[in-house]
Amino acid sequence: MSPAASIAREQHGLFMWTWYLSIPVMVGVFGVLFYVLFKYRRRRDDEMPDQSHGNPMTEVILTIVPIIIVIMVAVPSVRSIFRTQTVVQATSDDVVIHVTGYQWWWKFDYPQYGVTTANEMHIPAGKRVILQLNSGDVVHAFWAPRLAGKVDLIPNQDNRLWFDTDPDGTGIFTGQCAELCLGAHAYMRFRIVVSEQDEFDDWVAEFQQPAVVTTATDPLIAQGRQLVASKGCIGCHNIGNYSEGVKFGQPQYPDLTNFGLRHTVGAAILDATPENVATWIRDPQEVKPGARMPTLWQANDPNRDQEAAAIAAYLLSLGVEDGTQALAQASTGGN
C-alpha cells in the first residue's frame, strides 16, 4: 500500500513499526524453540534428567521483555490514536460530505454545495475532508485504505471521519465497504477522485446546474431518454438532466445526474463503457449478484439488448457537452 494522505501515512507507519518489532520477537522465539528441540531431544541412552521448578532469572527476563515490547507498541499507538481520532470542527475551508451507506451502494451529499452523487466522491487536493457517516439500513464501514482509516456507518448514529490530501496528491483512489453487510457486500465499492481545485469547482458547477437536454440528434440517445421514463427508471432515480426544475426518484436510490461524468457503474464494479453500462442495465444480477436493481426485460424479449444500449447511451451523454464524445471516451474505459 502506498499511502497518499497524512492519516494513511500515520497508520502505515504504525503498522510497519509493529511489523519490524515483531521480526526480532519471531526470530528469538523460534530460535530458542528449535535450539531446545535439537539440544534436548530424546536419545536412546537418556536417563531421567534432574527435575527442577522455577528459575528466577528466566522468569524476570520473561516478564521484563514483554513489558518492554508492549510499551514500545503502546506509546506510538496511543500517540497515533490521539493524532487521528481528534474531533475536528469544520471550517469554511473544509469540504464536508455526508456519506450514507445503503445495501449495496454509497450516497455522497455535499451540503455546502447542494450536490448529491453516488459511488464516486470528488474532493480537491490539499483540503481537509470531513465525512459525516450514517447508514440507511444495516451497518457498513467506509474504508479508503490509501487515504484514511476505517469507520463504521451505523443507522441513526452520526459517526465522523476526517482526512486531508496532499496538495499534489491528485488521482483516483479506491474504497470498499469493510463491514459484512450481507448479499452483495463484496461489490459495495466506491471511488474517490482527488483533483485540482479548479477542476473540482468545475465539477461542482456542473452538478449545481446540470445541463438539461430534452432533445438529442443521436436517435439512440433520444430513444434512451424516452425509455428511462417508460421503463420507470425515474421512478427510483433522480436525473437532474432530464427536465428543468423537476426532481424525480427517491433518496434511497442512486442519483444519476451527470452520469456521463462517472468512471464506473454498479458501485465501482465496472468501468463505465457503453458495453458495461448496457450489460448492467440489461441484467444487474449478472454483474452484481444480489443487487436490488430489477431486471426490466424478460429474458426472451427481442428488444432487450437494443433498448439497454439506448438507455446506456443516454446516461453516458449526461453532463457531457457532446454525447458522441462521451461515447468515444467511454469506449476506452476513461469516461
Side-chain angles (χ1 to χ4, degrees), residues 22-34:
S22 70
I23 293 176
V25 174
M26 287 190 295
V27 171
V29 170
F30 284 103
V32 171
L33 174 64
F34 288 116

Side-chain angles (χ1 to χ4, degrees), residues 37-325:
L37 288 175
F38 178 78
K39 182 175 178 60
Y40 298 103
R41 68 187 184 280
R42 185 175 181 180
R43 297 177 174 81
R44 186 181 301 276
D45 55 348
D46 274 353
E47 298 178 354
M48 177 64 71
D50 295 336
Q51 300 297 301
S52 63
H53 176 73
N55 184 310
M57 181 58 69
T58 300
E59 292 181 0
V60 169
I61 293 175
L62 293 179
T63 301
I64 292 178
V65 170
I67 291 176
I68 294 175
I69 293 174
V70 169
I71 292 174
M72 294 176 72
V73 174
V75 170
S77 297
V78 172
R79 189 170 54 194
S80 293
I81 289 172
F82 278 99
R83 285 176 180 169
T84 58
Q85 295 295 318
T86 302
V87 175
V88 296
Q89 296 299 322
T91 68
S92 59
D93 201 41
D94 296 328
V95 177
V96 179
I97 304 174
H98 293 179
V99 179
T100 306
Y102 291 96
Q103 290 177 313
W104 292 270
W105 64 282
W106 302 88
K107 180 180 179 183
F108 301 128
D109 287 306
Y110 297 69
Q112 64 202 110
Y113 303 115
V115 169
T116 298
T117 187
N119 302 321
E120 202 164 282
M121 177 189 296
H122 285 245
I123 57 176
K127 292 282 189 177
R128 188 171 64 176
V129 181
I130 300 176
L131 305 181
Q132 300 281 2
L133 306 171
N134 209 324
S135 172
D137 37 51
V138 300
V139 177
H140 303 281
F142 182 95
W143 189 34
R146 293 189 61 194
L147 297 177
K150 179 179 77 68
V151 174
D152 284 351
L153 291 80
I154 303 172
N156 302 316
Q157 178 172 316
D158 293 326
N159 284 349
R160 177 176 289 193
L161 171 68
W162 69 270
F163 62 91
D164 51 16
T165 58
D166 297 335
D168 58 349
T170 59
I172 299 177
F173 303 92
T174 58
Q176 166 79 47
C177 176
E179 184 72 36
L180 180 61
C181 53
L182 306 178
H185 158 73
Y187 301 103
M188 189 175 169
R189 305 170 189 171
F190 61 90
R191 300 281 180 94
I192 298 179
V193 180
V194 183
S195 57
E196 299 291 347
Q197 182 67 54
D198 55 349
E199 295 177 5
F200 174 75
D201 293 339
D202 291 342
W203 180 83
V204 170
E206 288 170 334
F207 274 80
Q208 288 176 327
Q209 292 185 330
V212 176
V213 179
T214 57
T215 60
T217 55
D218 187 326
L220 193 64
I221 294 176
Q223 182 192 8
R225 185 176 183 278
Q226 292 179 338
L227 286 169
V228 298
S230 61
K231 289 292 183 182
C233 304
I234 56 177
C236 295
H237 303 283
N238 179 53
I239 303 177
N241 315 81
Y242 192 82
S243 182
E244 191 75 49
V246 179
K247 195 173 182 64
F248 301 95
Q250 303 174 53
Q252 69 270 31
Y253 299 109
D255 192 308
L256 302 182
T257 300
N258 287 338
F259 184 89
L261 301 178
R262 293 190 190 174
H263 296 77
T264 62
V265 64
I269 299 300
L270 300 172
D271 287 336
T273 65
E275 295 77 14
N276 288 342
V277 175
T279 299
W280 166 252
I281 295 169
R282 185 177 61 245
D283 188 359
Q285 297 301 321
E286 178 185 342
V287 178
K288 189 174 179 178
R292 294 187 169 177
M293 180 168 162
T295 301
L296 303 177
W297 296 270
Q298 297 293 329
N300 58 355
D301 190 328
N303 300 318
R304 186 176 65 163
D305 291 346
Q306 194 278 330
E307 291 183 349
I311 295 176
Y314 170 68
L315 293 177
L316 288 169
S317 73
L318 301 177
V320 181
E321 293 184 2
D322 184 345
T324 304
Q325 179 185 359

